[in-house]
């Protein structure tokens, strides 16, 4: 008994069919990998914002302190108030992140508020956004050799940029995950 196998009898082994099968397997594998990555990144951006908010809150007075000198009249310099402002913005980022880790529905609001807080923590001390009271003003010293200009604000800019990137990435992954 002879068994004859022809191309017509086994059409799935033709070159085009094999190529299409390989392409389907590759696409399926890529989709599975993307779903796995997105499932594991569920809270990663919120946790990154929480950690970066803590670093931002500690930057102005603990990690890279602003100027400690007083003005000749005995009041604090503008950079002292900038340090307070940056620390408060870092605490706000932490609060937003903790609230959205606890309640998932607040994630989008948390990311948007973290973006605003990070942007303000750089804009206000640099004088782009004016925040002032009767006897105080958020700003930096005019001397480039002072700690606030030379050391603190470059670090605040890096941390604020990291919060912006993390928040935008969280927003993008959140919208992708929903669809």
């Amino acid at each position: 008994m002879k068994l004859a196998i022809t191309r017509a009898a086994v059409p799935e082994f033709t070159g085009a069919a094999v190529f299409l099968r390989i392409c389907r397997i590759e696409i399926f594998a890529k989709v599975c990998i993307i779903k796995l990555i997105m499932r594991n990144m569920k809270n990663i951006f919120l946790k990154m914002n929480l950690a970066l908010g803590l670093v931002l809150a500690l930057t102005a007075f603990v990690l890279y302190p602003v100027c400690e000198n007083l003005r000749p009249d005995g009041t604090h310099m503008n950079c002292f108030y900038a340090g307070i402002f940056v620390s408060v913005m870092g605490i706000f980022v932490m609060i937003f992140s903790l609230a959205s880790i606890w309640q998932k529905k607040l994630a989008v609001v948390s990311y948007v508020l973290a973006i605003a807080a990070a942007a303000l923590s750089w804009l206000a001390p640099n004088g782009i956004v004016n925040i002032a009271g009767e006897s105080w003003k958020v700003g930096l010293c005019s001397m480039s050799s002072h700690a606030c200009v030379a050391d603190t604000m470059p670090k605040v800019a890096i941390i604020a940029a990291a919060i912006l990137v993390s928040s935008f990435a969280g927003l993008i992954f959140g919208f992708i995950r929903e669809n």
Side-chain angles (χ1 to χ4, degrees):
M1 176 177 199
K2 275 185 164 178
L3 187 60
I5 299 177
T6 64
R7 269 192 153 169
V10 189
E12 65 268 7
F13 290 118
T14 62
V18 170
F19 176 73
L20 288 175
R21 239 186 218 178
I22 290 172
C23 289
R24 277 191 230 144
I25 291 171
E26 285 180 5
I27 291 171
F28 177 74
K30 288 178 183 176
V31 167
C32 289
I33 290 170
I34 290 171
K35 285 184 179 180
L36 181 67
I37 288 171
M38 289 177 61
R39 185 174 43 193
N40 290 335
M41 288 192 165
K42 201 171 198 176
N43 288 333
I44 190 81
F45 296 111
L46 293 172
K47 292 176 183 173
M48 283 175 55
N49 274 359
L50 180 65
L52 290 168
L54 176 65
V55 172
L56 185 64
L58 295 175
T59 298
F61 294 107
V62 178
L63 300 175
Y64 304 100
V66 294
C67 306
E68 297 175 2
N69 302 332
L70 297 175
R71 291 183 186 156
D73 63 355
T75 60
H76 289 286
M77 292 192 284
N78 293 343
C79 60
F80 176 77
Y81 301 109
I84 292 173
F85 184 77
V86 167
S87 295
V88 168
M89 289 297 110
I91 291 169
F92 281 160
V93 170
M94 289 173 46
I95 291 170
F96 304 149
S97 299
L98 283 173
S100 59
I101 288 172
W102 179 61
Q103 186 71 3
K104 300 291 182 219
K105 295 177 184 177
L106 299 175
V108 172
V109 175
S110 170
Y111 288 132
V112 171
L113 292 175
I115 289 169
L120 279 174
S121 69
W122 184 81
L123 293 172
N126 285 309
I128 298 170
V129 174
N130 189 17
I131 299 174
E134 288 182 26
S135 62
W136 59 273
K137 179 183 176 193
V138 173
L140 298 176
C141 297
S142 58
M143 310 248 323
S144 62
S145 62
H146 284 197
C148 61
V149 176
D151 200 25
T152 307
M153 279 317 292
K155 304 305 188 278
V156 167
I158 292 169
I159 297 165
I163 291 172
L164 289 171
V165 168
S166 173
S167 296
F168 277 121
L171 280 173
I172 291 168
F173 276 110
F175 289 131
I176 290 173
R177 200 176 333 121
E178 283 181 8
N179 296 332

